[in-house]
């Protein structure tokens, strides 16, 4: 099977400080890759650079779009990058307030990305939005409520619906369950796991939680000081860590 | 090439280097040579600490081998698991290499029936058909039907273990690795597992397992592979 995303020697510096340095990986269709590491290890910088939200200092990101053509992201115009983000990608932020529009209704939040793809029929938009609210376990009766009145977990589920409604081929997720109660976390993880399987999504997810990686990702990359120090099968990395930093990370997890 | 040979271990060794425990080196396996053929059930025997579970985990590519070779017949050709890419390992696990441990890894909110059905779905079975097959297996393993729609987090140890066995055996796989899958089962359920393994062997699977229970070992083993702890290095 051929890759969907190819990252080669990717670096992003902030002045003289390293955000991420010389990162290479491939992502296949239908695959979820986790990036783990402590805060400040460069996970989010890497994610944002891969997703073309930050300009790389060196290296390249290639993406194979729906029609099979490879795109070199660094050479795309801003308009083309926006088109990709709209038509083929999705982005789930840690704080749902960053990914949602808080002053419009839940239904409009879900429908907005569809409208950007040219779906105009009001009844159709409303019925799709209703279906997605159900899918993420939000009572469809709340379709006209603004998300400001939702709990944090509900807002995050709404953001997931808003992102996935366009059936993106590639989703970037930055700590989508951090800062939520564990019971709420379990619900969102189960939801993500199901949707990723059902929709055959490819995804890159940043998390500092190794249990999240074990549950969702077949492959994991471990980052420290902006570099990837270990990469491989998630179960291999968690059960037989090789790098000193990974060993420290794994042995620091509390087990119940 | 011997058409029955499914798994070929050559001079296999495994050591652990613990960077935060004063750089301790643990030598667990060395010079392992083992060939596993279709239709046989080889039982690893030896005292605890002999590296039996470690060996199974190395074969499953859950642990990385330190030395030597693990060759698996996958898709009619030999795959060297010691140097295979993650994607190759995942594909081998989906279609060729099964592993059943003592413990079920519970997934929050996912019902027992779906946990069992998942490996069949991963190789492309229809959901309805996969669930039906999952129900048949759970029924044979005496897991009461009222539990099927519940997540197994609250099940007893024996019930979880039977869910785990059903999940491990539902997809027909040419090589099965079993790490004490019957440790907390009663005699009646051990007999069911022995029967399921016999059926897998007749269907051509090669089985490599650890069974501490002698009765179970006598019932399933076609051959023993003795192991001893390595001398402290």
């Amino acid at each position: 099977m051929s890759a969907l995303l190819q990252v080669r020697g990717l670096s992003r510096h902030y002045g003289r400080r390293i955000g991420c340095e010389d990162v290479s990986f491939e992502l296949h269709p239908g695959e979820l890759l986790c990036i783990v590491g402590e805060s400040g290890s460069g996970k989010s910088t890497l994610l944002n650079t891969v997703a073309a939200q930050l300009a790389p200092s060196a290296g390249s990101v290639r993406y194979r779009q729906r029609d099979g053509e490879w795109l070199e992201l660094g050479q795309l115009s801003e308009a083309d990058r926006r088109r990709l983000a709209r038509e083929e990608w999705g982005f789930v932020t840690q704080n749902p307030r960053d990914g949602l529009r808080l002053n419009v209704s839940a239904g409009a939040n879900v429908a907005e990305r569809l409208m950007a793809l040219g779906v105009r029929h009001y009844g159709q938009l409303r019925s799709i939005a209703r279906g997605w609210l159900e899918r993420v376990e939000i009572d469809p009766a709340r379709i006209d409520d603004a998300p400001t009145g939702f709990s944090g977990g509900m807002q995050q589920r709404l953001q997931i619906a808003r992102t996935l409604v366009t059936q993106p081929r590639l989703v970037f997720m930055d700590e989508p369950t951090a800062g939520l109660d564990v019971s709420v976390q379990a619900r969102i993880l189960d939801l993500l796991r199901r949707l990723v399987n059902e929709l055959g999504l490819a995804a890159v997810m940043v998390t500092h939680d190794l249990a999240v990686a074990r549950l969702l990702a077949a492959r994991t990359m471990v980052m420290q000081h902006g570099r990837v120090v270990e990469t491989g099968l998630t179960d291999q990395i968690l059960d037989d860590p090789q790098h000193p930093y990974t060993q420290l990370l794994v042995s620091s997890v509390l087990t119940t | 090439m011997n058409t029955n040979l499914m798994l070929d271990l050559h001079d296999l060794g495994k050591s652990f280097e613990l960077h935060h425990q004063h750089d301790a080196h643990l030598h667990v396996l060395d010079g392992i040579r083992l060939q596993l053929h279709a239709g046989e059930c080889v039982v690893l025997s030896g005292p605890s600490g002999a590296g039996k579970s470690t060996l199974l985990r190395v074969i499953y590519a859950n642990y990385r081998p330190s030395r030597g070779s693990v060759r698996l017949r996958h898709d009619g050709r030999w795959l060297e698991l010691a140097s295979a890419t993650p994607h190759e390992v995942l594909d081998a696990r989906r279609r060729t290499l099964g592993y059943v441990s003592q413990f079920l890894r519970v997934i929050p909110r996912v019902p027992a029936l779906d946990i069992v059905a998942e490996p069949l779905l991963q190789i492309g079975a229809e959901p309805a058909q996969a669930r039906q097959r999952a129900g048949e297996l759970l029924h044979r393993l005496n897991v009461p039907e009222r539990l099927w729609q519940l997540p197994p987090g609250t099940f007893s140890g024996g019930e979880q273990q039977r869910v785990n066995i059903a999940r491990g055996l539902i997809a027909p796989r040419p090589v099965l690795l079993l790490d004490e899958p019957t440790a907390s089962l009663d005699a009646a359920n051990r007999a069911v597992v022995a029967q399921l393994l016999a059926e897998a062997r007749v269907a051509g699977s090669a089985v490599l397992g650890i069974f501490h229970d002698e009765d179970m070992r006598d019932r399933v083993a076609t051959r023993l592979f003795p192991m001893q702890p390595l001398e402290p290095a």
Side-chain angles (χ1 to χ4, degrees):
Chain A
M1 198 185 298
S2 89
L4 185 70
L5 188 71
Q6 280 183 342
V7 177
R8 289 281 170 272
L10 197 67
S11 301
R12 163 76 196 189
H13 299 161
Y14 299 99
R16 292 178 57 193
R17 203 160 52 80
I18 288 174
C20 63
E21 179 77 8
D22 195 19
V23 176
S24 300
F25 67 90
E26 286 193 351
L27 188 73
H28 286 203
E31 181 179 45
L32 196 152
L33 172 76
C34 264
I35 306 172
V36 304
E38 61 198 7
S39 340
S41 58
K43 310 185 295 286
S44 295
T45 296
L46 174 61
L47 190 76
N48 285 305
T49 312
V50 172
Q53 302 203 337
L54 288 173
S57 311
S60 73
V61 179
R62 295 173 75 223
Y63 169 73
R64 188 164 53 83
Q65 65 175 5
R66 212 166 246 143
D67 64 12
E69 191 193 336
W70 281 98
L71 300 177
E72 182 75 49
L73 296 188
Q75 291 166 6
L76 291 185
S77 67
E78 184 55 35
D80 280 339
R81 273 200 289 270
R82 274 207 298 270
R83 181 190 61 78
L84 266 189
R86 193 170 61 232
E87 295 181 359
E88 305 215 359
W89 294 359
F91 207 106
V92 177
T93 59
Q94 174 175 355
N95 187 342
R97 288 162 178 269
D98 297 333
L100 291 173
R101 296 221 298 151
L102 293 172
N103 51 346
V104 303
S105 69
N109 262 290
V110 177
E112 190 178 45
R113 272 172 51 91
L114 273 182
M115 294 195 315
L117 294 187
V119 185
R120 286 284 180 267
H121 187 279
Y122 179 77
Q124 195 187 355
L125 285 168
R126 203 168 162 84
S127 100
I128 294 174
R130 192 182 287 276
W132 267 93
L133 291 179
E134 274 180 10
R135 239 170 147 167
V136 299
E137 301 172 18
I138 294 174
D139 181 355
R142 308 285 304 263
I143 189 167
D144 294 316
D145 296 354
T148 38
F150 288 5
S151 68
M154 271 172 84
Q155 287 181 350
Q156 193 55 292
R157 281 179 277 132
L158 182 62
Q159 189 190 190
I160 290 167
R162 172 186 164 90
T163 306
L164 299 188
V165 67
T166 56
Q167 311 252 347
R169 299 174 72 222
L170 174 59
V171 180
F172 299 97
M173 296 187 263
D174 192 356
E175 301 267 17
T177 59
L180 299 172
D181 289 341
V182 270
S183 60
V184 178
Q185 239 185 48
R187 188 173 188 178
I188 287 181
L189 291 174
D190 171 44
L191 201 69
L192 282 174
R193 186 174 173 277
R194 239 174 336 108
L195 292 173
V196 164
N197 284 338
E198 281 170 18
L199 305 174
L201 295 177
V204 184
M205 179 191 276
V206 161
T207 179
H208 65 277
D209 188 339
L210 298 179
V212 168
R214 166 112 54 191
L215 185 66
L216 293 178
R219 285 197 303 134
T220 292
M221 294 199 304
V222 183
M223 289 189 75
Q224 184 192 27
H225 305 321
R227 294 172 189 271
V228 173
V229 294
E230 190 162 354
T231 177
L233 294 169
T234 303
D235 64 278
Q236 218 174 47
I237 284 180
L238 298 185
D239 296 336
D240 187 18
Q242 309 286 313
H243 190 275
Y245 176 67
T246 317
Q247 290 189 354
L248 184 66
L249 212 57
V250 169
S251 65
S252 308
V253 174
L254 296 175
T255 49
T256 53
Chain B
M1 147 166 145
N2 181 340
T3 52
N4 275 329
L5 186 60
M6 297 304 299
L7 182 71
D8 189 8
L9 311 182
H10 191 78
D11 280 341
L12 186 64
K14 175 63 183 169
S15 308
F16 294 91
E17 187 182 356
L18 306 174
H19 294 284
H20 299 282
Q21 317 289 329
H22 312 287
D23 285 324
H25 281 76
L26 299 177
H27 301 288
V28 182
L29 300 174
D30 199 31
I32 299 280
R33 287 177 183 221
L34 172 63
Q35 294 193 322
L36 186 69
H37 298 85
E40 70 174 339
C41 175
V42 176
V43 171
L44 304 177
S45 67
S48 91
K52 303 187 294 295
S53 290
T54 298
L55 178 56
L56 292 187
R57 284 172 176 260
V58 169
I59 297 168
Y60 194 60
N62 177 227
Y63 290 171
R64 291 169 235 221
S66 310
R67 302 168 290 282
S69 143
V70 180
R71 292 195 312 144
L72 173 75
R73 189 212 292 280
H74 173 57
D75 259 356
R77 66 184 182 90
W78 288 108
L79 177 65
E80 174 54 76
L81 286 170
S83 57
T85 67
H87 292 116
E88 287 172 328
V89 173
L90 290 169
D91 188 53
R93 286 180 181 179
R94 250 188 313 271
R95 299 188 290 124
T96 301
L97 190 60
Y99 172 71
V100 186
S101 72
Q102 262 183 76
F103 302 105
L104 176 68
R105 197 172 285 285
V106 176
I107 303 166
R109 305 210 316 159
V110 179
L113 193 70
D114 290 352
I115 288 183
V116 174
E118 190 178 57
L120 266 190
L121 294 175
Q122 284 175 348
I123 53 172
E126 291 295 318
Q129 198 189 348
R131 285 209 184 85
Q132 191 195 335
R133 177 84 187 108
E136 287 165 12
L137 267 176
L138 288 172
H139 185 71
R140 279 188 74 179
L141 286 157
N142 303 305
V143 178
E145 195 163 346
R146 64 188 158 76
L147 297 181
W148 295 1
Q149 293 304 330
L150 301 177
T154 55
F155 292 9
S156 74
E159 284 161 351
Q160 288 195 9
Q161 197 159 59
R162 280 175 278 150
V163 171
N164 202 33
I165 291 166
R167 176 183 164 91
L169 298 183
I170 191 167
R173 291 195 180 100
V175 177
L176 281 171
L177 309 171
L178 310 171
D179 190 348
E180 290 213 63
T182 54
S184 38
L185 299 189
D186 58 27
N189 281 310
R190 282 204 303 272
V192 174
V193 175
Q195 180 59 34
L196 287 169
L197 291 181
E199 290 168 20
R201 277 180 44 219
V202 168
S205 289
V207 182
L208 182 64
I210 304 168
F211 296 94
H212 277 143
D213 179 74
E214 268 181 42
D215 165 60
M216 190 68 190
R217 189 188 307 170
D218 293 344
R219 207 183 311 206
V220 300
T222 56
R223 169 161 76 95
L224 295 182
F225 184 80
M227 294 177 71
Q228 285 298 324
L230 296 180
E231 297 297 317

